[in-house]
Amino acid sequence: GMFLKYATDTTELGVRIFGPIHGGVFIAYCVTTVVVAVDPRGSPGRLVGGLASSVPPFLTLWFERYAGRQGLLADSWRLR
């Protein structure tokens, strides 16, 4: 959408369509990160790291790989 708006100077339609989609996915990632942090394997530092990784582009991919290597993405939750 931003490419169409600024590089080609043609339309803002891409921003109007993809902007809300992007915002919805961003909010869903943040909510999912908070919900997963409820699991006792989570910690406040990892929660902040997960939320902070949502800001720079594609850093969430690195954070997900890190969480997988640390065993934080288990098949089942350890609820109290």
Side-chain angles (χ1 to χ4, degrees), residues 1-74:
M2 296 296 288
F3 176 77
L4 290 175
K5 181 177 179 180
Y6 292 111
T8 63
D9 230 7
T10 57
T11 183
E12 288 191 19
L13 183 63
V15 175
R16 279 192 239 140
I17 293 172
F18 295 112
I21 294 170
H22 179 268
V25 171
F26 177 80
I27 296 297
Y29 175 81
C30 291
V31 168
T32 302
T33 302
V34 171
V35 168
V36 170
V38 170
D39 190 34
R41 283 180 273 244
S43 70
R46 288 188 182 125
L47 172 62
V48 170
L51 293 175
S53 74
S54 67
V55 178
F58 303 111
L59 192 58
T60 56
L61 299 174
W62 174 86
F63 184 78
E64 184 178 347
R65 281 190 224 126
Y66 159 77
R69 284 193 307 267
Q70 298 295 320
L72 302 173
L73 303 176

